Amino acid sequence: MASSSDFTIPSKIKAWVYAELGNPNDVLELVSDVRVPEIKEDQVLVKVVAAALNIIDAKRARGFLKDNDSPPPIVPGYDVAGVVVKVGDQVKKFKVGDEVYGDINEISLVRPKQHGTLAEYTAVEERLLALKPKNLSFAEAASLPLVIETAYEGLERTHFSPGKSILVLGGAGGIGSLVIQLAKQVFGASRVAATSSTGKLDLLRSLGADLAIDYTKENFEDLPEKFDVVYDAIGQSERAIHGVKEGGSVVTVGGPVTPPAFKFHVTSKGSILEKLNPFLESQIIKPVLDPKGTFPFSRVLEAISHLETGRPAGKIVIYPIP
């Protein structure tokens, strides 16, 4: 028997839902009679306080995962920060009232949950969650899971070690902004270079980049300097391979793969968040939220449009919910 106390859980909740695939602005609608998801014995029910958008949310609505997705109707959303209001029988790590955060979809591109995080409540396996760092707001915490785990796993897969140099393509984006920080502060990079547009160069430097490259004015391929690792956070591996030293590693998170680059898809793990929580609590690693600020729950469509067309810096977060 699942246990919950002190929280009255409604039978029907508000959520953003699409019943067919297409442009998110056409198919996504705010519905107020969605059923609260049932939790399995290894899951907790989270009262969602904040949720972050990721480009996969928009791609998924457009049918990018249609051969490998849950059936519609779908409530989108991967990233969550909120409060545990109910725990399954086998849950050991969390109790009702705990403030948690995580990416609710274990394998990002394989059957993500039908009921995601753009809802008042969501169900998620305890192994995918960690306690929210005390110093972070719910909005800041929600911005992190998918991108910080992608950044961390990508660096691990390149066998990054102290003293190596790295070039980050797309350093001001959700993933890139965390690759810069993790490479420098956690993995011990000797030198970090990163690309962005003119207006975001100061952001790159503030995150720890030693060399900030304005891609509107110069091509990184033309630099005499080459790097031990290139982390391509934009999906341009055909260019990324020209920035790496002989025998180095090129990791990419999207687009066609040009060898020797390799692509990977993140696996959500609460254990990675737990490992990085001390760096977040000591403010050595900082969440990066888009300068436009957070979008309230009623303005999800506007937030998705900004995500798809606005070239945001850092992350777009939906807060408060509702």
Side-chain angles (χ1 to χ4, degrees), residues 128-165:
L128 308 186
L129 296 173
L131 289 172
K132 177 180 79 65
K134 292 180 180 57
N135 58 308
L136 296 187
S137 68
F138 282 101
E140 289 171 323
S143 77
L144 287 165
L146 188 142
V147 290
I148 204 169
E149 292 174 29
T150 301
Y152 184 89
E153 286 182 37
L155 286 165
E156 277 208 320
R157 284 169 186 246
T158 68
H159 305 294
F160 204 92
S161 54
K164 285 187 176 178
S165 62

PDB file of all heavy atoms in Angstrom, residues 128-165:
ATOM      1  N   LEU A 128      15.565   7.809 -10.215  1.00  0.00           N
ATOM      2  CA  LEU A 128      15.811   8.903 -11.163  1.00  0.00           C
ATOM      3  C   LEU A 128      15.889  10.261 -10.470  1.00  0.00           C
ATOM      4  O   LEU A 128      16.209  11.262 -11.114  1.00  0.00           O
ATOM      5  CB  LEU A 128      14.717   8.942 -12.239  1.00  0.00           C
ATOM      6  CG  LEU A 128      14.433   7.628 -12.974  1.00  0.00           C
ATOM      7  CD1 LEU A 128      13.436   7.852 -14.101  1.00  0.00           C
ATOM      8  CD2 LEU A 128      15.713   7.003 -13.513  1.00  0.00           C
ATOM      9  N   LEU A 129      15.620  10.294  -9.181  1.00  0.00           N
ATOM     10  CA  LEU A 129      15.521  11.560  -8.437  1.00  0.00           C
ATOM     11  C   LEU A 129      16.647  11.710  -7.422  1.00  0.00           C
ATOM     12  O   LEU A 129      17.273  10.733  -7.004  1.00  0.00           O
ATOM     13  CB  LEU A 129      14.194  11.628  -7.686  1.00  0.00           C
ATOM     14  CG  LEU A 129      12.911  11.655  -8.509  1.00  0.00           C
ATOM     15  CD1 LEU A 129      11.699  11.551  -7.594  1.00  0.00           C
ATOM     16  CD2 LEU A 129      12.841  12.926  -9.357  1.00  0.00           C
ATOM     17  N   ALA A 130      16.869  12.960  -7.010  1.00  0.00           N
ATOM     18  CA  ALA A 130      17.765  13.268  -5.896  1.00  0.00           C
ATOM     19  C   ALA A 130      17.115  14.370  -5.071  1.00  0.00           C
ATOM     20  O   ALA A 130      16.210  15.072  -5.553  1.00  0.00           O
ATOM     21  CB  ALA A 130      19.130  13.734  -6.408  1.00  0.00           C
ATOM     22  N   LEU A 131      17.568  14.529  -3.837  1.00  0.00           N
ATOM     23  CA  LEU A 131      17.096  15.651  -3.027  1.00  0.00           C
ATOM     24  C   LEU A 131      17.544  16.952  -3.689  1.00  0.00           C
ATOM     25  O   LEU A 131      18.677  17.053  -4.184  1.00  0.00           O
ATOM     26  CB  LEU A 131      17.658  15.564  -1.604  1.00  0.00           C
ATOM     27  CG  LEU A 131      17.080  14.453  -0.728  1.00  0.00           C
ATOM     28  CD1 LEU A 131      17.863  14.350   0.575  1.00  0.00           C
ATOM     29  CD2 LEU A 131      15.592  14.694  -0.439  1.00  0.00           C
ATOM     30  N   LYS A 132      16.660  17.943  -3.680  1.00  0.00           N
ATOM     31  CA  LYS A 132      16.988  19.247  -4.266  1.00  0.00           C
ATOM     32  C   LYS A 132      18.056  19.937  -3.402  1.00  0.00           C
ATOM     33  O   LYS A 132      17.931  19.965  -2.186  1.00  0.00           O
ATOM     34  CB  LYS A 132      15.716  20.104  -4.319  1.00  0.00           C
ATOM     35  CG  LYS A 132      15.930  21.507  -4.848  1.00  0.00           C
ATOM     36  CD  LYS A 132      14.641  22.319  -4.875  1.00  0.00           C
ATOM     37  CE  LYS A 132      14.253  22.873  -3.538  1.00  0.00           C
ATOM     38  NZ  LYS A 132      15.206  23.873  -2.999  1.00  0.00           N
ATOM     39  N   PRO A 133      19.107  20.473  -4.044  1.00  0.00           N
ATOM     40  CA  PRO A 133      20.079  21.248  -3.258  1.00  0.00           C
ATOM     41  C   PRO A 133      19.361  22.378  -2.503  1.00  0.00           C
ATOM     42  O   PRO A 133      18.531  23.083  -3.074  1.00  0.00           O
ATOM     43  CB  PRO A 133      21.028  21.810  -4.316  1.00  0.00           C
ATOM     44  CG  PRO A 133      20.912  20.865  -5.469  1.00  0.00           C
ATOM     45  CD  PRO A 133      19.482  20.410  -5.461  1.00  0.00           C
ATOM     46  N   LYS A 134      19.689  22.526  -1.225  1.00  0.00           N
ATOM     47  CA  LYS A 134      18.930  23.454  -0.369  1.00  0.00           C
ATOM     48  C   LYS A 134      19.023  24.905  -0.835  1.00  0.00           C
ATOM     49  O   LYS A 134      18.098  25.685  -0.644  1.00  0.00           O
ATOM     50  CB  LYS A 134      19.435  23.349   1.075  1.00  0.00           C
ATOM     51  CG  LYS A 134      19.102  22.011   1.727  1.00  0.00           C
ATOM     52  CD  LYS A 134      19.614  21.959   3.166  1.00  0.00           C
ATOM     53  CE  LYS A 134      19.303  20.633   3.836  1.00  0.00           C
ATOM     54  NZ  LYS A 134      19.845  19.471   3.119  1.00  0.00           N
ATOM     55  N   ASN A 135      20.158  25.264  -1.426  1.00  0.00           N
ATOM     56  CA  ASN A 135      20.355  26.664  -1.815  1.00  0.00           C
ATOM     57  C   ASN A 135      19.685  27.020  -3.136  1.00  0.00           C
ATOM     58  O   ASN A 135      19.606  28.186  -3.492  1.00  0.00           O
ATOM     59  CB  ASN A 135      21.854  26.970  -1.932  1.00  0.00           C
ATOM     60  CG  ASN A 135      22.539  26.067  -2.941  1.00  0.00           C
ATOM     61  OD1 ASN A 135      22.415  24.851  -2.885  1.00  0.00           O
ATOM     62  ND2 ASN A 135      23.251  26.652  -3.889  1.00  0.00           N
ATOM     63  N   LEU A 136      19.206  26.024  -3.877  1.00  0.00           N
ATOM     64  CA  LEU A 136      18.596  26.311  -5.178  1.00  0.00           C
ATOM     65  C   LEU A 136      17.087  26.463  -5.048  1.00  0.00           C
ATOM     66  O   LEU A 136      16.442  25.729  -4.288  1.00  0.00           O
ATOM     67  CB  LEU A 136      18.883  25.186  -6.178  1.00  0.00           C
ATOM     68  CG  LEU A 136      20.331  24.936  -6.590  1.00  0.00           C
ATOM     69  CD1 LEU A 136      20.384  23.912  -7.716  1.00  0.00           C
ATOM     70  CD2 LEU A 136      21.043  26.214  -7.013  1.00  0.00           C
ATOM     71  N   SER A 137      16.533  27.405  -5.804  1.00  0.00           N
ATOM     72  CA  SER A 137      15.078  27.506  -5.904  1.00  0.00           C
ATOM     73  C   SER A 137      14.565  26.304  -6.698  1.00  0.00           C
ATOM     74  O   SER A 137      15.335  25.612  -7.369  1.00  0.00           O
ATOM     75  CB  SER A 137      14.688  28.798  -6.625  1.00  0.00           C
ATOM     76  OG  SER A 137      15.091  28.727  -7.987  1.00  0.00           O
ATOM     77  N   PHE A 138      13.253  26.074  -6.642  1.00  0.00           N
ATOM     78  CA  PHE A 138      12.680  24.992  -7.446  1.00  0.00           C
ATOM     79  C   PHE A 138      12.917  25.251  -8.937  1.00  0.00           C
ATOM     80  O   PHE A 138      13.210  24.328  -9.692  1.00  0.00           O
ATOM     81  CB  PHE A 138      11.180  24.843  -7.168  1.00  0.00           C
ATOM     82  CG  PHE A 138      10.872  24.129  -5.882  1.00  0.00           C
ATOM     83  CD1 PHE A 138      10.510  24.836  -4.747  1.00  0.00           C
ATOM     84  CD2 PHE A 138      10.952  22.742  -5.796  1.00  0.00           C
ATOM     85  CE1 PHE A 138      10.232  24.170  -3.550  1.00  0.00           C
ATOM     86  CE2 PHE A 138      10.682  22.068  -4.615  1.00  0.00           C
ATOM     87  CZ  PHE A 138      10.317  22.788  -3.486  1.00  0.00           C
ATOM     88  N   ALA A 139      12.819  26.511  -9.368  1.00  0.00           N
ATOM     89  CA  ALA A 139      13.029  26.827 -10.786  1.00  0.00           C
ATOM     90  C   ALA A 139      14.466  26.521 -11.194  1.00  0.00           C
ATOM     91  O   ALA A 139      14.721  25.955 -12.266  1.00  0.00           O
ATOM     92  CB  ALA A 139      12.689  28.289 -11.061  1.00  0.00           C
ATOM     93  N   GLU A 140      15.430  26.888 -10.349  1.00  0.00           N
ATOM     94  CA  GLU A 140      16.833  26.601 -10.660  1.00  0.00           C
ATOM     95  C   GLU A 140      17.084  25.094 -10.715  1.00  0.00           C
ATOM     96  O   GLU A 140      17.757  24.596 -11.612  1.00  0.00           O
ATOM     97  CB  GLU A 140      17.744  27.240  -9.610  1.00  0.00           C
ATOM     98  CG  GLU A 140      17.804  28.754  -9.696  1.00  0.00           C
ATOM     99  CD  GLU A 140      18.536  29.373  -8.525  1.00  0.00           C
ATOM    100  OE1 GLU A 140      18.419  28.875  -7.381  1.00  0.00           O
ATOM    101  OE2 GLU A 140      19.237  30.375  -8.752  1.00  0.00           O
ATOM    102  N   ALA A 141      16.533  24.379  -9.743  1.00  0.00           N
ATOM    103  CA  ALA A 141      16.734  22.921  -9.708  1.00  0.00           C
ATOM    104  C   ALA A 141      16.111  22.253 -10.932  1.00  0.00           C
ATOM    105  O   ALA A 141      16.717  21.360 -11.536  1.00  0.00           O
ATOM    106  CB  ALA A 141      16.152  22.339  -8.423  1.00  0.00           C
ATOM    107  N   ALA A 142      14.917  22.687 -11.325  1.00  0.00           N
ATOM    108  CA  ALA A 142      14.242  22.084 -12.481  1.00  0.00           C
ATOM    109  C   ALA A 142      15.057  22.263 -13.756  1.00  0.00           C
ATOM    110  O   ALA A 142      14.978  21.442 -14.673  1.00  0.00           O
ATOM    111  CB  ALA A 142      12.856  22.693 -12.660  1.00  0.00           C
ATOM    112  N   SER A 143      15.863  23.324 -13.820  1.00  0.00           N
ATOM    113  CA  SER A 143      16.625  23.607 -15.047  1.00  0.00           C
ATOM    114  C   SER A 143      17.755  22.611 -15.289  1.00  0.00           C
ATOM    115  O   SER A 143      18.306  22.550 -16.375  1.00  0.00           O
ATOM    116  CB  SER A 143      17.234  25.022 -14.965  1.00  0.00           C
ATOM    117  OG  SER A 143      18.384  25.050 -14.119  1.00  0.00           O
ATOM    118  N   LEU A 144      18.102  21.819 -14.286  1.00  0.00           N
ATOM    119  CA  LEU A 144      19.358  21.081 -14.345  1.00  0.00           C
ATOM    120  C   LEU A 144      19.338  19.639 -14.854  1.00  0.00           C
ATOM    121  O   LEU A 144      20.244  19.253 -15.602  1.00  0.00           O
ATOM    122  CB  LEU A 144      20.008  21.072 -12.947  1.00  0.00           C
ATOM    123  CG  LEU A 144      20.616  22.410 -12.508  1.00  0.00           C
ATOM    124  CD1 LEU A 144      20.897  22.392 -11.010  1.00  0.00           C
ATOM    125  CD2 LEU A 144      21.893  22.689 -13.286  1.00  0.00           C
ATOM    126  N   PRO A 145      18.394  18.775 -14.443  1.00  0.00           N
ATOM    127  CA  PRO A 145      18.649  17.333 -14.566  1.00  0.00           C
ATOM    128  C   PRO A 145      19.073  16.832 -15.940  1.00  0.00           C
ATOM    129  O   PRO A 145      20.155  16.238 -16.074  1.00  0.00           O
ATOM    130  CB  PRO A 145      17.329  16.697 -14.113  1.00  0.00           C
ATOM    131  CG  PRO A 145      16.780  17.701 -13.133  1.00  0.00           C
ATOM    132  CD  PRO A 145      17.137  19.036 -13.711  1.00  0.00           C
ATOM    133  N   LEU A 146      18.279  17.031 -16.973  1.00  0.00           N
ATOM    134  CA  LEU A 146      18.622  16.446 -18.263  1.00  0.00           C
ATOM    135  C   LEU A 146      19.942  17.005 -18.787  1.00  0.00           C
ATOM    136  O   LEU A 146      20.791  16.261 -19.277  1.00  0.00           O
ATOM    137  CB  LEU A 146      17.495  16.657 -19.279  1.00  0.00           C
ATOM    138  CG  LEU A 146      17.717  15.905 -20.601  1.00  0.00           C
ATOM    139  CD1 LEU A 146      16.400  15.346 -21.136  1.00  0.00           C
ATOM    140  CD2 LEU A 146      18.357  16.776 -21.663  1.00  0.00           C
ATOM    141  N   VAL A 147      20.148  18.318 -18.654  1.00  0.00           N
ATOM    142  CA  VAL A 147      21.358  18.911 -19.239  1.00  0.00           C
ATOM    143  C   VAL A 147      22.606  18.615 -18.413  1.00  0.00           C
ATOM    144  O   VAL A 147      23.675  18.368 -18.971  1.00  0.00           O
ATOM    145  CB  VAL A 147      21.204  20.430 -19.502  1.00  0.00           C
ATOM    146  CG1 VAL A 147      20.238  20.667 -20.652  1.00  0.00           C
ATOM    147  CG2 VAL A 147      20.778  21.205 -18.268  1.00  0.00           C
ATOM    148  N   ILE A 148      22.502  18.624 -17.085  1.00  0.00           N
ATOM    149  CA  ILE A 148      23.712  18.371 -16.283  1.00  0.00           C
ATOM    150  C   ILE A 148      24.106  16.899 -16.399  1.00  0.00           C
ATOM    151  O   ILE A 148      25.289  16.550 -16.441  1.00  0.00           O
ATOM    152  CB  ILE A 148      23.532  18.824 -14.813  1.00  0.00           C
ATOM    153  CG1 ILE A 148      24.913  19.107 -14.178  1.00  0.00           C
ATOM    154  CG2 ILE A 148      22.760  17.807 -13.974  1.00  0.00           C
ATOM    155  CD1 ILE A 148      24.842  19.816 -12.821  1.00  0.00           C
ATOM    156  N   GLU A 149      23.107  16.010 -16.507  1.00  0.00           N
ATOM    157  CA  GLU A 149      23.412  14.584 -16.677  1.00  0.00           C
ATOM    158  C   GLU A 149      23.988  14.319 -18.072  1.00  0.00           C
ATOM    159  O   GLU A 149      24.913  13.513 -18.227  1.00  0.00           O
ATOM    160  CB  GLU A 149      22.165  13.742 -16.410  1.00  0.00           C
ATOM    161  CG  GLU A 149      21.744  13.768 -14.945  1.00  0.00           C
ATOM    162  CD  GLU A 149      20.428  13.049 -14.662  1.00  0.00           C
ATOM    163  OE1 GLU A 149      20.094  12.095 -15.380  1.00  0.00           O
ATOM    164  OE2 GLU A 149      19.734  13.448 -13.708  1.00  0.00           O
ATOM    165  N   THR A 150      23.469  15.004 -19.086  1.00  0.00           N
ATOM    166  CA  THR A 150      24.020  14.867 -20.442  1.00  0.00           C
ATOM    167  C   THR A 150      25.459  15.374 -20.479  1.00  0.00           C
ATOM    168  O   THR A 150      26.346  14.734 -21.070  1.00  0.00           O
ATOM    169  CB  THR A 150      23.157  15.651 -21.454  1.00  0.00           C
ATOM    170  OG1 THR A 150      21.818  15.153 -21.412  1.00  0.00           O
ATOM    171  CG2 THR A 150      23.695  15.502 -22.870  1.00  0.00           C
ATOM    172  N   ALA A 151      25.694  16.533 -19.858  1.00  0.00           N
ATOM    173  CA  ALA A 151      27.044  17.101 -19.823  1.00  0.00           C
ATOM    174  C   ALA A 151      28.007  16.148 -19.121  1.00  0.00           C
ATOM    175  O   ALA A 151      29.100  15.850 -19.621  1.00  0.00           O
ATOM    176  CB  ALA A 151      27.017  18.455 -19.116  1.00  0.00           C
ATOM    177  N   TYR A 152      27.594  15.632 -17.976  1.00  0.00           N
ATOM    178  CA  TYR A 152      28.460  14.765 -17.162  1.00  0.00           C
ATOM    179  C   TYR A 152      28.744  13.438 -17.874  1.00  0.00           C
ATOM    180  O   TYR A 152      29.899  13.003 -17.969  1.00  0.00           O
ATOM    181  CB  TYR A 152      27.784  14.519 -15.809  1.00  0.00           C
ATOM    182  CG  TYR A 152      28.634  13.723 -14.841  1.00  0.00           C
ATOM    183  CD1 TYR A 152      29.522  14.370 -13.986  1.00  0.00           C
ATOM    184  CD2 TYR A 152      28.551  12.340 -14.773  1.00  0.00           C
ATOM    185  CE1 TYR A 152      30.308  13.650 -13.095  1.00  0.00           C
ATOM    186  CE2 TYR A 152      29.342  11.614 -13.894  1.00  0.00           C
ATOM    187  CZ  TYR A 152      30.212  12.277 -13.056  1.00  0.00           C
ATOM    188  OH  TYR A 152      30.994  11.555 -12.191  1.00  0.00           O
ATOM    189  N   GLU A 153      27.684  12.807 -18.373  1.00  0.00           N
ATOM    190  CA  GLU A 153      27.877  11.500 -19.034  1.00  0.00           C
ATOM    191  C   GLU A 153      28.730  11.638 -20.292  1.00  0.00           C
ATOM    192  O   GLU A 153      29.556  10.772 -20.588  1.00  0.00           O
ATOM    193  CB  GLU A 153      26.522  10.866 -19.368  1.00  0.00           C
ATOM    194  CG  GLU A 153      25.800  10.327 -18.139  1.00  0.00           C
ATOM    195  CD  GLU A 153      24.468   9.650 -18.480  1.00  0.00           C
ATOM    196  OE1 GLU A 153      24.382   8.984 -19.534  1.00  0.00           O
ATOM    197  OE2 GLU A 153      23.522   9.805 -17.695  1.00  0.00           O
ATOM    198  N   GLY A 154      28.529  12.728 -21.031  1.00  0.00           N
ATOM    199  CA  GLY A 154      29.335  12.943 -22.236  1.00  0.00           C
ATOM    200  C   GLY A 154      30.816  13.083 -21.906  1.00  0.00           C
ATOM    201  O   GLY A 154      31.678  12.499 -22.567  1.00  0.00           O
ATOM    202  N   LEU A 155      31.119  13.864 -20.857  1.00  0.00           N
ATOM    203  CA  LEU A 155      32.513  14.025 -20.441  1.00  0.00           C
ATOM    204  C   LEU A 155      33.092  12.690 -19.975  1.00  0.00           C
ATOM    205  O   LEU A 155      34.235  12.351 -20.302  1.00  0.00           O
ATOM    206  CB  LEU A 155      32.623  15.078 -19.333  1.00  0.00           C
ATOM    207  CG  LEU A 155      32.456  16.530 -19.810  1.00  0.00           C
ATOM    208  CD1 LEU A 155      32.224  17.462 -18.624  1.00  0.00           C
ATOM    209  CD2 LEU A 155      33.670  16.982 -20.609  1.00  0.00           C
ATOM    210  N   GLU A 156      32.307  11.916 -19.229  1.00  0.00           N
ATOM    211  CA  GLU A 156      32.782  10.599 -18.796  1.00  0.00           C
ATOM    212  C   GLU A 156      33.100   9.699 -19.985  1.00  0.00           C
ATOM    213  O   GLU A 156      34.093   8.977 -19.974  1.00  0.00           O
ATOM    214  CB  GLU A 156      31.713   9.921 -17.915  1.00  0.00           C
ATOM    215  CG  GLU A 156      31.739  10.359 -16.477  1.00  0.00           C
ATOM    216  CD  GLU A 156      31.222   9.263 -15.543  1.00  0.00           C
ATOM    217  OE1 GLU A 156      30.233   8.593 -15.900  1.00  0.00           O
ATOM    218  OE2 GLU A 156      31.824   9.087 -14.468  1.00  0.00           O
ATOM    219  N   ARG A 157      32.247   9.739 -21.000  1.00  0.00           N
ATOM    220  CA  ARG A 157      32.442   8.854 -22.150  1.00  0.00           C
ATOM    221  C   ARG A 157      33.668   9.225 -22.978  1.00  0.00           C
ATOM    222  O   ARG A 157      34.169   8.406 -23.743  1.00  0.00           O
ATOM    223  CB  ARG A 157      31.187   8.839 -23.022  1.00  0.00           C
ATOM    224  CG  ARG A 157      30.074   8.007 -22.406  1.00  0.00           C
ATOM    225  CD  ARG A 157      28.764   8.247 -23.160  1.00  0.00           C
ATOM    226  NE  ARG A 157      27.653   7.571 -22.501  1.00  0.00           N
ATOM    227  CZ  ARG A 157      26.972   6.557 -23.034  1.00  0.00           C
ATOM    228  NH1 ARG A 157      27.290   6.095 -24.228  1.00  0.00           N
ATOM    229  NH2 ARG A 157      25.971   6.009 -22.379  1.00  0.00           N
ATOM    230  N   THR A 158      34.137  10.470 -22.861  1.00  0.00           N
ATOM    231  CA  THR A 158      35.390  10.841 -23.553  1.00  0.00           C
ATOM    232  C   THR A 158      36.604  10.489 -22.698  1.00  0.00           C
ATOM    233  O   THR A 158      37.732  10.770 -23.099  1.00  0.00           O
ATOM    234  CB  THR A 158      35.442  12.357 -23.855  1.00  0.00           C
ATOM    235  OG1 THR A 158      35.550  13.077 -22.612  1.00  0.00           O
ATOM    236  CG2 THR A 158      34.228  12.829 -24.626  1.00  0.00           C
ATOM    237  N   HIS A 159      36.369   9.896 -21.524  1.00  0.00           N
ATOM    238  CA  HIS A 159      37.445   9.587 -20.564  1.00  0.00           C
ATOM    239  C   HIS A 159      38.203  10.862 -20.192  1.00  0.00           C
ATOM    240  O   HIS A 159      39.425  10.876 -20.112  1.00  0.00           O
ATOM    241  CB  HIS A 159      38.402   8.515 -21.122  1.00  0.00           C
ATOM    242  CG  HIS A 159      37.689   7.260 -21.530  1.00  0.00           C
ATOM    243  ND1 HIS A 159      37.060   6.429 -20.625  1.00  0.00           N
ATOM    244  CD2 HIS A 159      37.463   6.716 -22.744  1.00  0.00           C
ATOM    245  CE1 HIS A 159      36.493   5.425 -21.270  1.00  0.00           C
ATOM    246  NE2 HIS A 159      36.712   5.572 -22.561  1.00  0.00           N
ATOM    247  N   PHE A 160      37.436  11.918 -19.973  1.00  0.00           N
ATOM    248  CA  PHE A 160      38.057  13.203 -19.636  1.00  0.00           C
ATOM    249  C   PHE A 160      38.785  13.077 -18.305  1.00  0.00           C
ATOM    250  O   PHE A 160      38.277  12.484 -17.361  1.00  0.00           O
ATOM    251  CB  PHE A 160      37.007  14.315 -19.544  1.00  0.00           C
ATOM    252  CG  PHE A 160      37.599  15.672 -19.765  1.00  0.00           C
ATOM    253  CD1 PHE A 160      37.636  16.222 -21.027  1.00  0.00           C
ATOM    254  CD2 PHE A 160      38.175  16.386 -18.713  1.00  0.00           C
ATOM    255  CE1 PHE A 160      38.224  17.458 -21.249  1.00  0.00           C
ATOM    256  CE2 PHE A 160      38.763  17.617 -18.931  1.00  0.00           C
ATOM    257  CZ  PHE A 160      38.786  18.163 -20.203  1.00  0.00           C
ATOM    258  N   SER A 161      39.998  13.655 -18.247  1.00  0.00           N
ATOM    259  CA  SER A 161      40.778  13.583 -17.008  1.00  0.00           C
ATOM    260  C   SER A 161      41.505  14.904 -16.782  1.00  0.00           C
ATOM    261  O   SER A 161      41.642  15.710 -17.717  1.00  0.00           O
ATOM    262  CB  SER A 161      41.763  12.417 -17.081  1.00  0.00           C
ATOM    263  OG  SER A 161      42.565  12.517 -18.235  1.00  0.00           O
ATOM    264  N   PRO A 162      41.936  15.145 -15.540  1.00  0.00           N
ATOM    265  CA  PRO A 162      42.577  16.425 -15.223  1.00  0.00           C
ATOM    266  C   PRO A 162      43.743  16.730 -16.157  1.00  0.00           C
ATOM    267  O   PRO A 162      44.504  15.827 -16.549  1.00  0.00           O
ATOM    268  CB  PRO A 162      43.073  16.222 -13.782  1.00  0.00           C
ATOM    269  CG  PRO A 162      42.143  15.198 -13.202  1.00  0.00           C
ATOM    270  CD  PRO A 162      41.804  14.287 -14.340  1.00  0.00           C
ATOM    271  N   GLY A 163      43.835  18.010 -16.528  1.00  0.00           N
ATOM    272  CA  GLY A 163      44.934  18.433 -17.400  1.00  0.00           C
ATOM    273  C   GLY A 163      44.597  18.446 -18.869  1.00  0.00           C
ATOM    274  O   GLY A 163      45.346  18.998 -19.679  1.00  0.00           O
ATOM    275  N   LYS A 164      43.473  17.838 -19.257  1.00  0.00           N
ATOM    276  CA  LYS A 164      43.091  17.844 -20.674  1.00  0.00           C
ATOM    277  C   LYS A 164      42.460  19.190 -21.051  1.00  0.00           C
ATOM    278  O   LYS A 164      41.929  19.914 -20.203  1.00  0.00           O
ATOM    279  CB  LYS A 164      42.097  16.720 -20.971  1.00  0.00           C
ATOM    280  CG  LYS A 164      42.740  15.338 -21.016  1.00  0.00           C
ATOM    281  CD  LYS A 164      41.738  14.277 -21.473  1.00  0.00           C
ATOM    282  CE  LYS A 164      42.403  12.907 -21.611  1.00  0.00           C
ATOM    283  NZ  LYS A 164      41.420  11.873 -22.002  1.00  0.00           N
ATOM    284  N   SER A 165      42.497  19.472 -22.363  1.00  0.00           N
ATOM    285  CA  SER A 165      41.840  20.676 -22.888  1.00  0.00           C
ATOM    286  C   SER A 165      40.551  20.274 -23.591  1.00  0.00           C
ATOM    287  O   SER A 165      40.409  19.133 -24.048  1.00  0.00           O
ATOM    288  CB  SER A 165      42.767  21.401 -23.866  1.00  0.00           C
ATOM    289  OG  SER A 165      43.044  20.563 -24.981  1.00  0.00           O
TER     290      SER A 165
END
